[in-house]
Amino acid sequence: MDIKEQLETIESEARKLFDSVKDREALEKLRVKYLGKKGKIADIFSQMGKVDSDERPVIGRKTNELKNLIAELHQEKKSELEELLKARKMKREEIDITLPGIKPEMGYTHPLSVIINEVKQLFIGLGFSIAEGPEIESEYYNFEALNIPEHHPARDLQDTLYIDDQFLLRTHTSPVQIRTMEDKNPPIRIIAPGRVYRSDELDASHSPVFHQIEGLVVDKDISFSDLKGTIQVFVEEMYGADREIRFRPSYFPFTEPSAEVDVSCIVCEGKGCSLCSGTGWLEVMGSGMVHPNVLEMSGLDSRVYSGFAFGMGWDRIAMLKYGIDDIRVLFENDLRFLRQF
Ligand code: PHE
């Protein structure tokens, strides 16, 4: 094949190949095949020595023209492929701004949190602050310093989850009373919300872990009427202003006198129903005047200071307020339940 024929073959072959190439790698290979150092065009130039000298300028020009043509074919294809790629990417990223947005699902406040937020708000308004204590307690804070004698049934293995012979999971939030009195001088006004543990079987009304909210006020001249007034405000805020309140004499080793606080049933309003077991009353907390022994053991002079304390079931408040009849739902984190709050 003479050079002219070679040029023609190269041109028609190149046109076909560049036209049909589908991706950038293949295109680059084609560029090398024709325009590279060892490519077809370079090959033609290397044959120029064999060409008659009078034909050489014409062949030289033709070869240059072909080289430019191929460079153009390459450039065109390159832009074409780039456009295609861009279009594909656009398609992938296409956003229809007229579509309604997808609302991200927000978390829900757990009913126990709803309750404690309200309770905190209320007591902070009354000048209380929030106290905390450890869930793993010593016998001393959980029992002894609370005037609970060694052989008291509450200390029994039946009720208490012991860790060893000295430490246990606190059975109530009352040890926070002791820790607070040891730590701070009166006037003391705290509430202490937290988890407590008892070795109960799990059922609709019992859980081995549940929650209490403790209250403690210690100062000079604190009397039972201060206790009554505080409870009154609390009950009216939490259970409604038309609730009746009843203080029923009771016994706790760490308070004297002690009283159980009942409120008129939120369902039947005193007539008697299944929620209040026909009594018309719901038991909502234990309370009393801090026992002088407890003040003394915490380092406070019981001739100077007096105080009152109360302790209530935090889960129970949530159950009463939201009509929950199974305590287990408070611990299961089932979204179908939590979504309602
Ligand atoms: N700690 C008591 C209980 O768990 C409740 C209580 C607290 C009673 C404070 C009186 C004063 O039952």
Side-chain angles (χ1 to χ4, degrees):
M1 235 195 291
D2 73 1
I3 287 209
K4 267 192 201 154
E5 278 169 344
Q6 282 186 50
L7 287 173
E8 273 159 28
T9 319
I10 291 172
E11 181 179 337
S12 65
E13 189 194 81
R15 278 186 192 279
K16 243 184 272 157
L17 288 176
F18 275 100
D19 188 52
S20 62
V21 75
K22 288 265 173 334
D23 60 70
R24 287 193 294 184
E25 288 84 64
L27 178 66
E28 176 57 14
K29 276 195 191 127
L30 274 189
R31 189 190 65 77
V32 173
K33 176 174 177 177
Y34 288 97
L35 303 175
K37 270 204 201 97
K38 291 176 184 155
K40 301 220 164 192
I41 296 295
D43 180 49
I44 300 286
F45 280 122
S46 72
Q47 296 173 44
M48 218 52 94
K50 290 186 280 177
V51 176
D52 291 344
S53 54
D54 53 341
E55 270 203 293
R56 214 174 282 152
V58 185
I59 300 290
R61 183 167 47 76
K62 282 206 166 187
T63 311
N64 269 323
E65 276 169 12
L66 181 58
K67 182 182 163 188
N68 293 339
L69 172 78
I70 292 176
E72 237 168 72
L73 288 176
H74 171 256
Q75 195 51 51
E76 261 168 35
K77 197 66 187 186
K78 198 172 155 197
S79 320
E80 192 187 309
L81 286 178
E82 268 162 20
E83 283 305 314
L84 210 76
L85 218 68
K86 231 189 277 173
R88 246 184 249 152
K89 199 167 160 221
M90 293 267 275
K91 184 103 194 140
R92 242 184 293 130
E93 290 175 357
E94 196 173 87
I95 293 169
D96 182 349
I97 58 165
T98 65
L99 277 175
I102 300 167
K103 194 170 160 224
E105 189 170 5
M106 300 282 279
Y108 303 86
T109 310
H110 193 281
L112 289 175
S113 301
V114 178
I115 296 295
I116 197 60
N117 290 341
E118 261 177 65
V119 173
K120 278 183 183 171
Q121 192 86 18
L122 167 63
F123 278 104
I124 286 170
L126 295 175
F128 284 60
S129 46
I130 315 299
E132 274 183 5
E135 288 171 29
I136 296 176
E137 265 298 5
S138 63
E139 276 219 293
Y140 177 77
Y141 284 107
N142 198 80
F143 296 129
E144 206 172 315
L146 285 160
N147 204 32
I148 302 174
E150 179 118 33
H151 297 293
H152 192 280
R155 291 212 191 188
D156 204 309
L157 271 170
Q158 292 258 301
D159 303 297
T160 305
L161 292 159
Y162 282 87
I163 287 173
D164 53 29
D165 53 11
Q166 205 194 340
F167 290 99
L168 45 81
L169 295 175
R170 67 178 179 190
T171 59
H172 51 180
T173 42
S174 300
V176 186
Q177 289 186 34
I178 309 301
R179 290 180 176 277
T180 306
M181 287 188 279
E182 281 182 354
D183 224 48
K184 289 194 179 68
N185 291 319
I188 289 169
R189 269 188 239 112
I190 57 115
I191 58 164
R195 246 179 239 134
V196 299
Y197 302 82
R198 285 183 202 173
S199 62
D200 281 325
E201 287 292 335
L202 185 65
D203 63 29
S205 47
H206 298 87
S207 165
V209 49
F210 58 105
H211 300 81
Q212 286 189 335
I213 304 169
E214 193 81 10
L216 174 70
V217 171
V218 181
D219 202 354
K220 289 174 182 154
D221 303 321
I222 296 293
S223 69
F224 202 91
S225 54
D226 295 309
L227 165 64
K228 281 185 83 172
T230 308
I231 303 291
Q232 178 99 32
V233 171
F234 169 80
V235 167
E236 283 175 6
E237 284 290 323
M238 291 304 286
Y239 294 102
D242 43 2
R243 291 274 81 73
E244 285 202 54
I245 304 175
R246 177 170 86 171
F247 286 80
R248 199 157 32 80
S250 185
Y251 171 77
F252 299 102
F254 36 93
T255 47
E256 182 58 37
S258 304
E260 204 78 57
V261 181
D262 297 342
V263 301
S264 53
C265 181
I266 54 175
V267 171
C268 64
E269 308 208 335
K271 290 190 216 48
C273 67
S274 63
L275 180 66
C276 58
S277 316
T279 64
W281 296 95
L282 299 169
E283 212 177 283
V284 293
M285 69 177 91
S287 68
M289 302 306 292
V290 181
H291 197 293
N293 288 355
V294 174
L295 291 171
E296 295 288 339
M297 273 189 283
S298 307
L300 296 176
D301 189 339
S302 62
R303 289 164 305 178
V304 179
Y305 295 110
S306 53
F308 67 81
F310 54 87
M312 56 186 126
W314 174 1
D315 315 88
R316 185 163 159 78
I317 305 175
M319 292 171 77
L320 288 175
K321 280 199 80 158
Y322 297 119
I324 298 165
D325 58 8
D326 190 328
I327 193 171
R328 289 169 290 199
V329 297
L330 293 172
F331 302 96
E332 283 166 352
N333 287 330
D334 186 328
L335 280 178
R336 290 168 301 179
F337 169 69
L338 295 180
R339 278 205 182 99
Q340 302 173 64
F341 297 92

